[in-house]
Amino acid sequence: MTSSADLLALQEIDLRRDSRRALIADVDARLGETEELIAAREGIEDAEAAVQRLRRRQKEVDDLAEDLDAKARPLEKKLYDGSVRNPKDLGGMQHELDSFKKQRGKLDDEGLSLMEAMEAANAALAGAKSEYEKIEAAWRADQAALQANRAQAEAESERLTADRDARAKGMEGPVIGIYEKLRPLKAGRAVARIVRGLCEGCHISLPTHLVQRVRSGGTIVQCPNCERILVAG
């Protein structure tokens, strides 16, 4: 005959197994990349993109400077080698050369600014990589710990399932049926002790005759209020 004490022992196993399964579910939810890790990687990508933009602009500036130099050299040669004597032509060439030099000066200024910006961008990239490495190391350690906890909880859950199956095997169908029906409705606690005349589940005072029936152990008795299966405390 299945007693309420048997059901209480079964409940203890079920509650421990529930806690292991909850731990496994929590670990599964935490496995994988975190928002912090993703953000750190995106920080590297943003910093790399900034460096690439500056490099492209530096090349553009260098190409423009080379183009201006290529245009200015023949003008300077003509101005100073005496091959051009017409004052008007010389004036026009000088004006054009001055324009090239002015543009070249602006490009030189931008080049210096780009060098400073590139230095800052490379420093930011190095910082982003260093931060990512630190976050990734902590993340990997955390993932390893989570995996270890999961494996342990899985092993304990399997052991508890075997214990539960062995204990429930000889229990009466109708009695275990009541227990199984109540468990999901009562947050896993289908069985409640009687403590100082009160139902431990809902804390109502129980009639004396009902408490006596529970203590006699002759039959399964349920709380008249919460319907949990009562067991003598």
Side-chain angles (χ1 to χ4, degrees):
M1 177 179 175
T2 303
S3 68
S4 56
D6 294 330
L7 293 175
L8 181 63
L10 182 64
Q11 177 171 275
E12 291 302 318
I13 294 174
D14 280 336
L15 289 172
R16 290 199 298 273
R17 187 175 65 163
D18 289 345
S19 71
R20 302 307 183 275
R21 288 178 172 177
L23 175 60
I24 291 169
D26 178 65
V27 167
D28 288 343
R30 294 166 61 190
L31 286 173
E33 294 189 338
T34 62
E35 291 183 4
E36 183 183 28
L37 183 68
I38 293 170
R41 186 166 55 244
E42 289 175 348
I44 292 177
E45 293 170 355
D46 291 343
E48 287 176 338
V51 169
Q52 290 302 320
R53 284 194 298 271
L54 289 170
R55 283 177 180 168
R56 285 194 298 269
R57 183 54 188 166
Q58 279 184 323
K59 186 178 186 311
E60 290 172 357
V61 168
D62 289 343
D63 290 344
L64 289 170
E66 288 181 8
D67 184 58
L68 285 173
D69 289 344
K71 292 176 179 179
R73 278 192 294 270
L75 283 175
E76 287 182 317
K77 184 176 182 301
K78 288 180 181 180
L79 279 169
Y80 303 119
D81 67 3
S83 61
V84 179
R85 290 189 171 86
N86 187 301
K88 184 177 181 180
D89 291 341
L90 289 170
M93 292 170 62
Q94 185 64 57
H95 178 75
E96 188 175 7
L97 182 60
D98 290 343
S99 177
F100 288 157
K101 288 182 176 180
K102 184 177 180 181
Q103 294 177 58
R104 187 66 163 80
K106 290 181 178 179
L107 290 174
D108 288 342
D109 290 342
E110 184 177 356
L112 289 173
S113 296
L114 286 170
M115 288 178 61
E116 294 175 357
M118 180 62 78
E119 184 177 352
N122 282 324
L125 177 58
K129 287 181 177 179
S130 177
E131 181 68 11
Y132 177 79
E133 289 173 359
K134 181 172 65 176
I135 292 172
E136 185 187 34
W139 172 77
R140 289 190 182 280
D142 184 60
Q143 292 289 294
L146 288 172
Q147 290 283 15
N149 290 341
R150 191 189 192 289
Q152 181 179 352
E154 186 69 37
E156 291 174 355
S157 178
E158 291 175 1
R159 177 180 59 77
L160 289 166
T161 296
D163 290 347
R164 183 194 196 282
D165 290 345
R167 183 171 288 276
K169 188 174 182 180
M171 292 186 175
E172 300 170 57
V175 174
I176 194 71
I178 295 171
Y179 171 80
E180 296 288 11
K181 182 179 179 181
L182 285 171
R183 253 179 59 77
L185 301 176
K186 306 299 179 182
R189 296 183 179 274
V191 183
R193 289 184 176 87
I194 297 175
V195 180
R196 294 190 294 274
L198 303 177
C199 170
E200 191 178 34
C202 63
H203 308 292
I204 71 157
S205 179
L206 300 168
T208 302
H209 73 276
L210 189 145
V211 173
Q212 291 300 327
R213 282 180 58 200
V214 173
R215 288 175 178 168
S216 70
T219 184
I220 295 298
V221 180
Q222 292 178 253
C223 173
N225 181 57
C226 67
E227 298 185 339
R228 285 182 174 88
I229 299 166
L230 297 172
V231 60

